[in-house]
Amino acid sequence: MLTESFVAATLHPPKNAASTSTNASLRDASIFHHNIHPQPSLRCALKKSATTPNCVAVNSSHIFAAQKDKAVVHVYSFDRDGSSRQDTAKAAASSGKHEATFPFPERITGCTLVPGGVGGGSQGSSAPTVDHSTHLALGTESGRLILWSLATGETINSAPSHLKPVTSLVADCGGDFVLSGAADSTVHVWSVLDILASSASSNTMHDSGAPTPRTSFTAHKTPITSIATGHAHTPHNITISASKDATVHLWAYRTVILFRTFLLPSTPLCLTLDPADRAFFAGCSDGGVACLELYDPETYQSHLQTSSDQTDAAMPIQPPSSSHWPFPSADASIPEADTKKTDNSTSTSLGEPCAALSISLSHSGTTLITGHAHGTISTWDVGSHPSHYTGTVSSHPRSSSAAVTNLHFLPLMPSTPRLKLPAQLPKPLPVTSRQAPQDQVNAVDSGAMVSALLGDLKTRDGDTSAITAAMRGPGVPQSLLMDDAAMLDDLEWHEEANDGDENTDAKQPTVNGTGALQGQHNSIALGDADTRPHVDKKMKHDLS
């Protein structure tokens, strides 16, 4: 039977998990694998982790958790199909394991999986259907972006483009771009191809030639809290970004065109998009959910219409009160058992006790789950009216000390990546090294492959713009076609000239010195095709 499951990560392990769980082995657990359909159940519990919002990435076989206030990433492996709904808590605790801890040069403040490296998969803002992730993008405390190849261990560092720590990372559904938001109120758009094609000399922590953002979005005025992208594989794909001033911007990340600005009643802390990009959902600081439709079925108007004046698009729109789903006051309080154990610093740093810190939408787009600061996971029915709140996930241990900071629905289909990942993920290589370890020499290094391709196909003046356009565009540029046509004409002429020489005595020079000239031309023909000068029509006539 097809099941839907999700992974939840908490800021700290629940202090009173032993009293609410069937087994004391879940006392230190901080990452949980739950079934939600057809029946809620706990399938796996993992320990030794403490993560802040937007610091967990999940595929069908591994969980990557960037640790709070540390420069390490914990990697967990789990069997998504290995346990059934009837498993006990002891079996759930043993169905996953902490595989490795990987260090990095500085603290990691955000991470996301990049689908298929370049141009594959469907890892968007909501749950992916099939998993093709082969790279992990990491945001750092100094504002850098790190791209880590899960197959070879190669890491590529960008320049420190953000002035403050990265707070949110997301990759588009095609794996072509990575968007990074930071506390400096800026959203940078990175091209994955540009990062992979960066030369070895620029792959250092302090090199000014390191990869830089393709473009930037600067409409926000306060720190970025969350980013989500649409599911369209077209140049007109959309993205939404939220900031602490309670505004949400709807814009196109390829062209940086702003469509609409929304002003919500409370601060949006997390975002997700409907699978059909019909609406977006924002988890707010008051524990409620804001649901804003992008298309009005009554007026047939769309918020995605491009305005000739960007000033109108930047004017905030207040959505109707019916778009805000309130969090029930009965569930907003802290559990009585945790009243004396509540850590006041947790509520102060993350918002109100019931603040929605994480959000995720099911594959069907009908079930929404939110993780709250007081340790509960709430479920919402998108289609029900007027009350959308349906309760909490009963299999999740509730504790005020275990704020649910990350939620991710798992892919429905088993992992079938284009590039098969090794059973044991390789350790990230130093940023100054571009060579894979000896035990991974057979793995495909997409970054080195792209770099070599661009290096070998440089034009005569050293510009790679034509080659880059050919790799990114829908067709072959006309300039390349003209160069190839001219090269083919030269090759055909050389073949005809060589065929004519077979009937003559090549050793006897002619009276007018044509033999010497013919020999010189043959030496030119044997040269490099990229540096060989074109033979003009007059020379061709003389040789004939």
Side-chain angles (χ1 to χ4, degrees):
M1 179 183 295
L2 189 64
T3 62
E4 276 191 308
S5 59
F6 67 91
V7 170
T10 61
L11 181 63
H12 299 291
K15 295 181 179 180
N16 64 332
S19 60
T20 59
S21 303
T22 58
N23 196 294
S25 61
L26 301 182
R27 182 190 301 271
D28 298 327
S30 53
I31 297 179
F32 305 89
H33 178 198
H34 294 278
N35 262 358
I36 190 170
H37 290 138
Q39 179 180 349
S41 62
L42 178 62
R43 299 182 59 173
C44 177
L46 304 171
K47 303 179 180 181
K48 299 180 180 179
S49 179
T51 57
T52 55
N54 304 318
C55 285
V56 172
V58 180
N59 60 17
S60 58
S61 60
H62 289 85
I63 300 174
F64 305 87
Q67 299 303 294
K68 179 179 180 291
D69 298 332
K70 295 181 180 179
V72 297
V73 172
H74 288 185
V75 179
Y76 302 87
S77 61
F78 68 101
D79 184 7
R80 55 167 291 164
D81 299 321
S83 56
S84 63
R85 299 191 304 270
Q86 290 79 18
D87 285 343
T88 62
K90 182 177 181 180
S94 61
S95 60
K97 67 176 181 178
H98 178 206
E99 183 175 295
T101 297
F102 294 134
F104 285 88
E106 54 182 311
R107 294 178 180 178
I108 305 300
T109 56
C111 65
T112 186
L113 284 166
V114 181
V118 179
S122 59
Q123 176 80 16
S125 56
S126 64
T129 304
V130 182
D131 175 39
H132 292 292
S133 305
T134 57
H135 287 78
L136 182 69
L138 304 166
T140 68
E141 190 176 31
S142 65
R144 296 179 185 270
L145 182 71
I146 300 176
L147 194 63
W148 173 24
S149 173
L150 303 180
T152 64
E154 178 191 38
T155 58
I156 304 175
N157 283 260
S158 73
S161 300
H162 288 289
L163 301 179
K164 292 184 179 181
V166 175
T167 56
S168 180
L169 274 177
V170 66
D172 67 346
C173 58
D176 299 319
F177 295 93
V178 173
L179 283 70
S180 62
D184 60 359
S185 73
T186 303
V187 179
H188 289 324
V189 181
W190 305 79
S191 171
V192 177
L193 180 61
D194 291 346
I195 298 176
L196 294 177
S198 60
S199 61
S201 60
S202 65
N203 191 23
T204 60
M205 290 292 292
H206 303 286
D207 195 342
S208 60
T212 56
R214 175 71 64 87
T215 185
S216 301
F217 182 74
T218 58
H220 288 284
K221 305 302 179 184
T222 55
I224 306 298
T225 57
S226 183
I227 308 173
T229 59
H231 304 82
H233 291 264
T234 65
H236 306 289
N237 197 11
I238 61 174
T239 186
I240 51 176
S241 54
S243 58
K244 287 189 176 181
D245 59 358
T247 59
V248 176
H249 289 291
L250 175 65
W251 52 288
Y253 59 86
R254 291 175 181 259
T255 58
V256 198
I257 296 178
L258 178 63
F259 297 120
R260 196 69 67 199
T261 302
F262 301 95
L263 180 62
L264 303 185
S266 58
T267 304
L269 302 178
C270 47
L271 297 170
T272 189
L273 268 163
D274 176 82
D277 295 343
R278 299 169 300 181
F280 72 86
F281 304 88
C284 301
S285 58
D286 61 356
V289 173
C291 173
L292 285 87
E293 296 187 5
L294 303 182
Y295 305 92
D296 191 346
E298 297 181 357
T299 61
Y300 298 99
Q301 293 182 353
S302 171
H303 291 297
L304 300 179
Q305 295 177 353
T306 305
S307 176
S308 58
D309 187 3
Q310 289 290 287
T311 305
D312 296 338
M315 186 68 63
I317 297 177
Q318 291 185 341
S321 58
S322 60
S323 63
H324 185 73
W325 305 345
F327 190 76
S329 57
D331 293 334
S333 60
I334 300 174
E336 295 181 0
D338 294 340
T339 304
K340 297 181 180 180
K341 301 179 180 180
T342 302
D343 185 2
N344 294 329
S345 61
T346 301
S347 300
T348 303
S349 59
L350 299 178
E352 299 180 17
C354 63
L357 305 177
S358 53
I359 192 171
S360 188
L361 189 63
S362 64
H363 302 277
S364 61
T366 58
T367 302
L368 186 74
I369 56 176
T370 53
H372 299 269
H374 57 22
T376 61
I377 301 177
S378 301
T379 59
W380 309 76
D381 188 349
V382 175
S384 65
H385 295 283
S387 176
H388 296 271
Y389 180 80
T390 58
T392 60
V393 177
S394 57
S395 59
H396 184 77
R398 180 175 178 177
S399 174
S400 62
S401 64
V404 182
T405 55
N406 294 270
L407 289 173
H408 295 278
F409 270 95
L410 292 176
L412 284 177
M413 305 301 293
S415 177
T416 54
R418 296 177 181 179
L419 176 61
K420 185 177 181 180
L421 299 180
Q424 183 74 21
L425 293 179
K427 181 179 180 181
L429 298 177
V431 295
T432 56
S433 176
R434 298 278 295 189
Q435 297 180 355
Q438 293 298 324
D439 57 347
Q440 299 292 338
V441 293
N442 294 327
V444 178
D445 187 354
S446 56
M449 181 174 61
V450 174
S451 299
L453 180 62
L454 292 178
D456 294 340
L457 298 181
K458 284 186 177 180
T459 54
R460 294 183 179 88
D461 58 356
D463 185 19
T464 61
S465 58
I467 301 300
T468 305
M471 298 180 66
R472 294 177 183 151
V476 180
Q478 186 177 3
S479 58
L480 290 181
L481 291 176
M482 297 298 294
D483 292 341
D484 293 341
M487 187 178 297
L488 288 175
D489 292 340
D490 292 343
L491 292 176
E492 292 177 357
W493 182 86
H494 294 323
E495 292 178 358
E496 294 176 358
N498 292 332
D499 292 340
D501 292 341
E502 293 179 356
N503 299 327
T504 59
D505 187 3
K507 297 182 180 181
Q508 296 295 331
T510 59
V511 178
N512 58 2
T514 306
L517 184 58
Q518 181 68 45
Q520 180 183 359
H521 178 68
N522 289 337
S523 64
I524 294 176
L526 295 175
D528 187 4
D530 289 326
T531 59
R532 175 179 53 82
H534 292 283
V535 181
D536 57 12
K537 296 182 179 179
K538 182 178 179 181
M539 181 179 292
K540 292 182 181 180
H541 178 73
D542 295 340
L543 292 175
S544 60

